[in-house]
Amino acid sequence: MLPVNFSIQLYRGKTLGDGTHPIVAMTSVAGVVKRISLPRLRVGDPPPAVTSAQWDSEDRRVTRAHKDRARINEIITHFESRGREIIGRMLALGQAFDHERFKGELLLSDDQRKAHEQSRTDVFAMFNTIINEMEKDGRVGTASAYRDAMSALRLFQCKGDKAKASKAKTRMPYSDVSSIAGVKAWASFMIERGNSEASAGMRLRQLRAVLYRARAERIISFDDIPFKNVWNPGGLKVSNYQGDLAPQPLIEAETAKLLNAKPEEPRSAWAVDVYRLLIAMCGPNMADIAALTKDNVRAGRIHYRRMKSRRTQQEAIEVSLNITPAITEIFERYKGEGQYLLPILGPQYRTPKQRKYALQQAIRMINDRLVKLAQELGIDSHVTTKTARTTAATMLKNLGVAPDVINELQGRANAGMLKHYAPAHRYRVLDDAQAKLWALATNEPTDKRKPQRARVSLPDAPAFRPMEVSEGSEVL
């Protein structure tokens, strides 16, 4: 680590409106000088800024000439001590000096610093640190998923005692999640309590992210991470808990039934129209169509970037769709409040949490109507708004549309996800091969060696339902 020069200085190169100069924490590494203006410690504190005549350059303190000398000097002492402590810890851990990280730790409030220090020994505290950062960044859905993972881990620690787990006062040392056996036990616990393998796998991924964050902050080493990585090739593979990744799209006949349905009940009619819109727009995410405003309409086309990848991808794909008559009809029938094209969000939902809750409520209502309507129409599949996305991708794939075009139409940044969409024609090939095998084995005539494609229901067999998203997890 290069030597770091740290001191508190009066920054005379900057003059404020009242003629004073700000007091700054100054660092110098390899000739690169950075300054951080000191903030107030408490509400009611005087601003840490004085004139040159009120500053003692030798002691680096405010002189008696200033009426608030004692309180400003208290602020200086606090940040001087904090700065030296942070730099000393970086030096002890052999970390390269990072100004942005130093600034972030220096300016933490006492409560934030306490939580940050606690995260060095407590897995739950690190979860909370990440959750708070995500909520600040507007990633409410992902923060909610991390909170659910933390609750599931706390319930496992309390051996299924919900009353004890709800108190949320327990701590978990990193050593409790540093072994493969311990993490496997947690996954088994979740599955035994009714969670699907995919849901358990999602929470394992969140724990893995928490441990990698702790490793990045030099709290733990790679040896303390039980998941498979370059340094631990024999670690636990999260992909072992992925469950059934194959989406369950509707076949063409079922899609036509649903799109041509004309329910009289208003909410059911609204649900069908939303499904029509999703298909007409090639399967967008509900969060994306709910957020569409008049600003997204330009020259007869809809332009938008996916909400999901807007913050996580360096170059989020812009989706551009032609506004067809089917799309125009639905937008004309349902007009949102203010600038919104659909009546899902509105100006009354100001915070990310409020918008997230409004969207979740709308999706629940729409999915409830779609499930009931599908049953009435004799559709065996479990139909939700997400089904429209998988159905649209599968139908486009069956039409021979190139995968990169489908990815662009759906704003998909991860091209590999499309591989999970099994096209219907693949099943036809498999069915044909299966029928030919049986015909050959039973010595049937050649003309009878044809696959049976009619849908049949097995007697006394429960209807198949894909995995339902657990409460609080990412629904988009």
Side-chain angles (χ1 to χ4, degrees), residues 285-309:
N285 191 285
M286 275 296 294
D288 296 322
I289 67 165
L292 289 177
T293 66
K294 295 174 184 177
D295 293 336
N296 294 106
V297 179
R298 299 192 298 273
R301 300 185 68 83
I302 294 175
H303 301 266
Y304 71 90
R305 294 185 187 276
R306 286 192 66 193
M307 301 288 288
K308 183 176 181 180
S309 60

Short mmCIF file of all heavy atoms in Angstrom, two decimals, residues 285-309:
data_model
loop_
_atom_site.label_atom_id
_atom_site.label_comp_id
_atom_site.label_asym_id
_atom_site.label_seq_id
_atom_site.Cartn_x
_atom_site.Cartn_y
_atom_site.Cartn_z
N ASN A 285 -42.11 -7.23 -20.17
CA ASN A 285 -42.33 -7.43 -18.75
C ASN A 285 -43.42 -6.47 -18.29
O ASN A 285 -43.53 -5.35 -18.78
CB ASN A 285 -41.03 -7.16 -18.01
CG ASN A 285 -41.07 -7.60 -16.56
OD1 ASN A 285 -41.69 -6.95 -15.73
ND2 ASN A 285 -40.42 -8.69 -16.26
N MET A 286 -44.22 -6.89 -17.29
CA MET A 286 -45.30 -6.03 -16.80
C MET A 286 -44.77 -4.71 -16.25
O MET A 286 -45.42 -3.66 -16.39
CB MET A 286 -46.09 -6.76 -15.72
CG MET A 286 -47.19 -7.68 -16.25
SD MET A 286 -48.49 -6.80 -17.14
CE MET A 286 -49.23 -5.84 -15.81
N ALA A 287 -43.60 -4.73 -15.61
CA ALA A 287 -43.04 -3.49 -15.07
C ALA A 287 -42.76 -2.49 -16.18
O ALA A 287 -42.89 -1.28 -15.99
CB ALA A 287 -41.75 -3.79 -14.30
N ASP A 288 -42.39 -3.01 -17.35
CA ASP A 288 -42.05 -2.11 -18.47
C ASP A 288 -43.29 -1.47 -19.10
O ASP A 288 -43.28 -0.28 -19.40
CB ASP A 288 -41.26 -2.88 -19.53
CG ASP A 288 -39.92 -3.37 -19.00
OD1 ASP A 288 -39.31 -2.62 -18.23
OD2 ASP A 288 -39.51 -4.49 -19.34
N ILE A 289 -44.36 -2.26 -19.28
CA ILE A 289 -45.55 -1.65 -19.90
C ILE A 289 -46.28 -0.75 -18.91
O ILE A 289 -46.93 0.21 -19.30
CB ILE A 289 -46.49 -2.71 -20.50
CG1 ILE A 289 -47.15 -3.58 -19.42
CG2 ILE A 289 -45.79 -3.57 -21.53
CD1 ILE A 289 -48.34 -4.36 -19.94
N ALA A 290 -46.18 -1.08 -17.61
CA ALA A 290 -46.82 -0.22 -16.60
C ALA A 290 -46.15 1.14 -16.55
O ALA A 290 -46.80 2.15 -16.26
CB ALA A 290 -46.78 -0.89 -15.24
N ALA A 291 -44.85 1.19 -16.83
CA ALA A 291 -44.09 2.45 -16.74
C ALA A 291 -44.12 3.25 -18.02
O ALA A 291 -43.57 4.36 -18.06
CB ALA A 291 -42.64 2.15 -16.35
N LEU A 292 -44.78 2.75 -19.07
CA LEU A 292 -44.80 3.48 -20.35
C LEU A 292 -45.57 4.79 -20.21
O LEU A 292 -46.66 4.84 -19.64
CB LEU A 292 -45.45 2.62 -21.44
CG LEU A 292 -44.65 1.41 -21.93
CD1 LEU A 292 -45.48 0.63 -22.94
CD2 LEU A 292 -43.32 1.83 -22.53
N THR A 293 -44.99 5.86 -20.75
CA THR A 293 -45.66 7.16 -20.77
C THR A 293 -45.70 7.67 -22.20
O THR A 293 -45.18 7.03 -23.13
CB THR A 293 -44.91 8.18 -19.89
OG1 THR A 293 -43.62 8.44 -20.48
CG2 THR A 293 -44.72 7.65 -18.47
N LYS A 294 -46.30 8.83 -22.37
CA LYS A 294 -46.37 9.42 -23.71
C LYS A 294 -44.98 9.74 -24.26
O LYS A 294 -44.80 9.83 -25.48
CB LYS A 294 -47.24 10.68 -23.66
CG LYS A 294 -48.69 10.38 -23.30
CD LYS A 294 -49.51 11.66 -23.11
CE LYS A 294 -50.93 11.33 -22.67
NZ LYS A 294 -51.73 12.55 -22.40
N ASP A 295 -44.01 9.90 -23.38
CA ASP A 295 -42.65 10.18 -23.82
C ASP A 295 -42.02 8.99 -24.53
O ASP A 295 -41.03 9.13 -25.25
CB ASP A 295 -41.76 10.58 -22.63
CG ASP A 295 -42.18 11.92 -22.03
OD1 ASP A 295 -42.81 12.71 -22.76
OD2 ASP A 295 -41.90 12.14 -20.84
N ASN A 296 -42.58 7.78 -24.28
CA ASN A 296 -42.05 6.58 -24.93
C ASN A 296 -42.57 6.39 -26.35
O ASN A 296 -42.12 5.49 -27.06
CB ASN A 296 -42.42 5.33 -24.12
CG ASN A 296 -41.75 5.29 -22.76
OD1 ASN A 296 -42.38 5.52 -21.73
ND2 ASN A 296 -40.46 5.02 -22.75
N VAL A 297 -43.52 7.24 -26.76
CA VAL A 297 -44.11 7.14 -28.10
C VAL A 297 -43.49 8.20 -29.00
O VAL A 297 -43.58 9.39 -28.73
CB VAL A 297 -45.65 7.32 -28.05
CG1 VAL A 297 -46.25 7.23 -29.45
CG2 VAL A 297 -46.27 6.28 -27.12
N ARG A 298 -42.84 7.71 -30.07
CA ARG A 298 -42.20 8.63 -31.02
C ARG A 298 -42.36 8.09 -32.43
O ARG A 298 -42.00 6.93 -32.70
CB ARG A 298 -40.69 8.79 -30.71
CG ARG A 298 -40.41 9.37 -29.35
CD ARG A 298 -38.94 9.77 -29.21
NE ARG A 298 -38.04 8.66 -29.34
CZ ARG A 298 -37.66 7.88 -28.33
NH1 ARG A 298 -38.16 8.10 -27.11
NH2 ARG A 298 -36.81 6.90 -28.52
N ALA A 299 -42.92 8.91 -33.30
CA ALA A 299 -43.05 8.58 -34.73
C ALA A 299 -43.73 7.24 -34.95
O ALA A 299 -43.28 6.41 -35.75
CB ALA A 299 -41.67 8.59 -35.40
N GLY A 300 -44.83 7.01 -34.23
CA GLY A 300 -45.60 5.79 -34.44
C GLY A 300 -44.97 4.53 -33.87
O GLY A 300 -45.38 3.42 -34.22
N ARG A 301 -43.98 4.69 -32.99
CA ARG A 301 -43.33 3.53 -32.39
C ARG A 301 -43.21 3.73 -30.87
O ARG A 301 -43.19 4.87 -30.38
CB ARG A 301 -41.92 3.31 -32.98
CG ARG A 301 -41.91 3.07 -34.48
CD ARG A 301 -40.51 2.73 -34.98
NE ARG A 301 -40.06 1.43 -34.49
CZ ARG A 301 -40.39 0.28 -35.07
NH1 ARG A 301 -41.18 0.28 -36.15
NH2 ARG A 301 -39.93 -0.86 -34.60
N ILE A 302 -43.10 2.61 -30.16
CA ILE A 302 -42.86 2.64 -28.72
C ILE A 302 -41.39 2.30 -28.48
O ILE A 302 -40.89 1.28 -28.97
CB ILE A 302 -43.75 1.62 -27.99
CG1 ILE A 302 -45.22 2.03 -28.10
CG2 ILE A 302 -43.35 1.52 -26.52
CD1 ILE A 302 -46.17 1.03 -27.50
N HIS A 303 -40.71 3.17 -27.75
CA HIS A 303 -39.31 2.95 -27.41
C HIS A 303 -39.19 2.89 -25.89
O HIS A 303 -39.70 3.76 -25.19
CB HIS A 303 -38.43 4.09 -27.94
CG HIS A 303 -38.49 4.28 -29.43
ND1 HIS A 303 -37.60 3.70 -30.29
CD2 HIS A 303 -39.38 4.97 -30.21
CE1 HIS A 303 -37.91 4.03 -31.54
NE2 HIS A 303 -38.98 4.81 -31.51
N TYR A 304 -38.50 1.86 -25.39
CA TYR A 304 -38.28 1.79 -23.94
C TYR A 304 -37.06 0.91 -23.65
O TYR A 304 -36.62 0.12 -24.49
CB TYR A 304 -39.51 1.23 -23.21
CG TYR A 304 -39.78 -0.25 -23.44
CD1 TYR A 304 -39.22 -1.22 -22.60
CD2 TYR A 304 -40.57 -0.69 -24.50
CE1 TYR A 304 -39.46 -2.56 -22.79
CE2 TYR A 304 -40.81 -2.03 -24.71
CZ TYR A 304 -40.26 -2.97 -23.84
OH TYR A 304 -40.49 -4.32 -24.05
N ARG A 305 -36.52 1.08 -22.46
CA ARG A 305 -35.46 0.21 -21.97
C ARG A 305 -36.00 -0.57 -20.78
O ARG A 305 -36.73 -0.02 -19.96
CB ARG A 305 -34.23 1.02 -21.54
CG ARG A 305 -33.53 1.74 -22.68
CD ARG A 305 -32.26 2.42 -22.20
NE ARG A 305 -31.67 3.25 -23.24
CZ ARG A 305 -30.86 2.79 -24.19
NH1 ARG A 305 -30.56 1.50 -24.21
NH2 ARG A 305 -30.36 3.60 -25.10
N ARG A 306 -35.65 -1.82 -20.67
CA ARG A 306 -36.19 -2.67 -19.61
C ARG A 306 -35.81 -2.14 -18.23
O ARG A 306 -34.68 -1.75 -17.98
CB ARG A 306 -35.67 -4.10 -19.76
CG ARG A 306 -36.30 -4.87 -20.89
CD ARG A 306 -35.96 -6.34 -20.79
NE ARG A 306 -36.56 -6.91 -19.60
CZ ARG A 306 -36.22 -8.11 -19.11
NH1 ARG A 306 -35.27 -8.80 -19.70
NH2 ARG A 306 -36.80 -8.59 -18.05
N MET A 307 -36.78 -2.12 -17.33
CA MET A 307 -36.54 -1.68 -15.97
C MET A 307 -35.54 -2.59 -15.28
O MET A 307 -34.70 -2.14 -14.50
CB MET A 307 -37.86 -1.69 -15.18
CG MET A 307 -38.95 -0.80 -15.77
SD MET A 307 -38.60 0.95 -15.55
CE MET A 307 -38.88 1.09 -13.79
N LYS A 308 -35.60 -3.88 -15.57
CA LYS A 308 -34.77 -4.86 -14.88
C LYS A 308 -33.30 -4.67 -15.18
O LYS A 308 -32.46 -4.79 -14.30
CB LYS A 308 -35.20 -6.27 -15.28
CG LYS A 308 -34.45 -7.38 -14.57
CD LYS A 308 -35.00 -8.73 -14.96
CE LYS A 308 -34.27 -9.86 -14.23
NZ LYS A 308 -34.79 -11.18 -14.61
N SER A 309 -32.96 -4.39 -16.43
CA SER A 309 -31.55 -4.31 -16.83
C SER A 309 -31.03 -2.88 -16.92
O SER A 309 -29.88 -2.66 -17.24
CB SER A 309 -31.35 -5.01 -18.18
OG SER A 309 -32.15 -4.40 -19.17
#
